[in-house]
Amino acid sequence: MACIWYGVQSWIGGTCVYLMIRSIWNSWNDIPNTMEGSGTNTRDFVSFFLFWFCSLPAIWFPVHKIRHLFTVKAYFVPFAGLAFFIWAIVRAHGIGPIVKQGGTLTGSAHAWEVIKGIMSSIANFATLVVNDPDFARFARKPRDAFWSQLLTIPIGFAVTSFIGIIVSSSSSVIYGQPIWSPLDLLTKFLDEGGSGQRFGVFVIATAFALAQLGTNIAANSVSAGTDMTALFPKYINIRRGGYVAAIIGLCMCPWNLLSTTNNFTTYLSAYSVFLSSIAGVIICDYYWVRKGYLQTRDLYSAKKTGPYFYTLGIHWRGYTAYIAGILINVVGFAGAVGNNVPAGATYIYNLNFFCGFIVAATVYYVLCRFFPIPATSDTWLEVGDDIRNLSVVYEDSNSCDDATVQQYAKATDAVDLERGDIKEAGFVKDTSLEC
């Protein structure tokens, strides 16, 4: 999903590049199309490729080394979004005509559209729900990750969604027709000409391009690279995984997903089906099955006798629950892409994230009750904020055996090996032990 989102965000960034170039050279809009039948045109593809290519150097550096890019983004983009918001309201002669537009749906049809809108909004940040550990693992204490996400994710998405809704709705007042993409609205502003219009569009498009670059790095390339590193640690690191995500994002032809609003919302709902099942299993496993308890030392062990090796290295309960969460939405998804399905399946699919999450979590919990897993707790036993540092003593195969390391770990009071509780700090590899 991160690879697909990389392509989608890059296509949006390419549209920003198109607006930037056209703001300077209006003739950019008249480039002959040599890509007939591809679903896009030469002008848009070249703009997309320029953004994609210019994004590659940013993947090379670790996130902390380009933190100033995110600092600039944090100041520049909100002001540009606010300027666009005010500009659209002024063009519509105030916010009143925008919010007073009459609705076209009533009754249950209106209610279901609201519900589908909520599901699309959840799907938009469903990736953050699942790949959050890629970043939260760097927090020193649980509350460091908790409060920042609790405030920034709901408020950030709510504010940006509100601006997008008002800006897009203003197009109905200004031009007499709804324009669902804010970038398409900027294109309409640019069509009107004038140096002031061109300067305003250039500044806003530059800010939005920077926003897409930051999102691609933080939310897509890093998460994809982290997952690929876990799968193939011998061959792939986070940097290489980021470049793999970029190549897939280029090859997937993202313009097809963004060709219409229906295609895009269908895509959002489709991948939400898969992510909701993953989230259901993860959250149920941590909060209800394990009750926050993890044997930290064994998390880094690949031994077949370890509690996290499961059956032949596969946690079949998790996979079974994951598939069950997907199956509840499969029929409804078939209806979303144009097939005739029962009305009940459509209603279930309209609640796809909640249905997938609840079914996956329930199936996983039931399986774990009938087929218990090791390394669990009967009471809540999460490592608390009192933990200041982390210490893991592990085996050096050239110096001593595992039994000696265990004795040393217990003697130094670093790790309670029976319970897996961490007691103190720094990541220690002691090569001075002698067998």
Side-chain angles (χ1 to χ4, degrees):
M1 294 303 170
C3 296
I4 295 175
W5 261 116
Y6 191 100
V8 171
Q9 300 284 166
S10 294
W11 181 255
I12 297 173
T15 305
C16 295
V17 171
Y18 154 71
L19 290 170
M20 293 164 60
I21 297 175
R22 190 184 163 194
S23 297
I24 303 173
W25 299 289
N26 194 54
S27 58
W28 184 255
N29 196 46
D30 302 323
I31 294 178
N33 182 21
T34 59
M35 301 178 63
E36 295 288 346
S38 64
T40 185
N41 55 60
T42 303
R43 177 201 67 200
D44 292 343
F45 180 79
V46 172
S47 301
F48 160 67
F49 186 81
L50 286 173
F51 179 87
W52 179 87
F53 184 78
C54 293
S55 300
L56 296 181
I59 301 176
W60 180 267
F61 301 98
V63 174
H64 68 275
K65 289 189 176 181
I66 55 173
R67 61 187 181 278
H68 297 302
L69 170 68
F70 295 94
T71 302
V72 173
K73 171 180 174 285
Y75 285 101
F76 185 27
V77 176
F79 281 109
L82 182 61
F84 189 20
F85 177 70
I86 295 173
W87 192 6
I89 290 176
V90 171
R91 290 291 308 273
H93 304 291
I95 199 170
I98 299 174
V99 299
K100 290 181 179 179
Q101 297 177 78
T104 58
L105 296 175
T106 59
S108 62
H110 179 262
W112 279 112
E113 288 301 320
V114 171
I115 291 173
K116 287 192 285 186
I118 294 172
M119 291 300 104
S120 294
S121 298
I122 294 175
N124 194 32
F125 60 83
T127 49
L128 297 177
V129 174
V130 175
N131 68 23
D132 168 74
D134 295 339
F135 300 96
R137 66 193 178 95
F138 293 109
R140 293 185 178 182
K141 300 181 290 293
R143 68 166 178 262
D144 291 345
F146 175 76
W147 286 108
S148 60
Q149 295 174 78
L150 181 65
L151 297 175
T152 57
I153 292 179
I155 295 175
F157 274 93
V159 171
T160 53
S161 297
F162 175 74
I163 291 175
I165 290 169
I166 295 298
V167 167
S168 297
S169 298
S170 69
S171 62
S172 298
V173 177
I174 301 171
Y175 298 107
Q177 59 178 349
I179 299 175
W180 75 281
S181 171
L183 297 180
D184 290 342
L185 184 58
L186 283 177
T187 304
K188 296 287 284 186
F189 286 178
L190 203 56
D191 290 339
E192 298 174 1
S195 58
Q197 301 276 75
R198 292 166 64 181
F199 176 75
V201 170
F202 178 85
V203 172
I204 294 172
T206 302
F208 287 175
L210 180 62
Q212 302 310 311
L213 174 61
T215 300
N216 256 354
I217 296 171
N220 297 326
S221 67
V222 171
S223 61
T226 302
D227 292 343
M228 292 181 194
T229 301
L231 288 174
F232 308 104
K234 185 177 180 179
Y235 306 101
I236 297 180
N237 55 27
I238 293 178
R239 178 184 296 159
R240 293 173 183 172
Y243 283 116
V244 171
I247 292 172
I248 294 175
L250 174 66
C251 297
M252 56 159 287
C253 304
W255 51 86
N256 292 323
L257 293 177
L258 293 167
S259 57
T260 65
T261 55
N262 185 58
N263 283 353
F264 188 55
T265 54
T266 300
Y267 157 67
L268 284 176
S269 298
Y271 88 85
S272 178
V273 168
F274 299 95
L275 296 183
S276 63
S277 293
I278 296 175
V281 172
I282 291 175
I283 292 176
C284 179
D285 178 74
Y286 187 78
Y287 285 98
W288 292 303
V289 175
R290 301 189 188 277
K291 292 183 172 60
Y293 175 66
L294 295 173
Q295 292 184 189
T296 310
R297 185 174 184 271
D298 290 315
L299 290 173
Y300 301 91
S301 171
K303 293 181 179 179
K304 295 182 179 180
T305 55
Y308 302 111
F309 192 80
Y310 301 110
T311 306
L312 301 177
I314 298 174
H315 190 12
W316 63 268
R317 304 162 192 80
Y319 278 105
T320 302
Y322 168 66
I323 294 172
I326 294 174
L327 290 178
I328 191 67
N329 287 305
V330 165
V331 178
F333 175 69
V337 296
N339 297 297
N340 292 323
V341 298
T346 301
Y347 294 144
I348 291 175
Y349 185 72
N350 288 342
L351 296 165
N352 52 71
F353 190 91
F354 291 151
C355 290
F357 183 96
I358 293 172
V359 169
T362 302
V363 171
Y364 181 78
Y365 182 80
V366 171
L367 288 175
C368 289
R369 294 290 291 180
F370 283 95
F371 305 95
I373 60 176
T376 61
S377 174
D378 295 330
T379 59
W380 182 251
L381 201 61
E382 184 182 50
V383 174
D385 288 346
D386 57 319
I387 299 301
R388 293 293 188 272
N389 299 295
L390 174 63
S391 175
V392 178
V393 180
Y394 64 95
E395 176 184 359
D396 183 344
S397 59
N398 295 323
S399 59
C400 58
D401 60 18
D402 187 59
T404 304
V405 174
Q406 291 188 22
Q407 292 173 3
Y408 177 77
K410 294 177 72 174
T412 56
D413 202 35
V415 180
D416 184 338
L417 296 176
E418 280 75 28
R419 298 185 59 186
D421 293 345
I422 298 171
K423 295 185 177 179
E424 61 164 283
F427 189 83
V428 178
K429 177 180 180 179
D430 192 308
T431 58
S432 64
L433 306 179
E434 295 181 358
C435 297

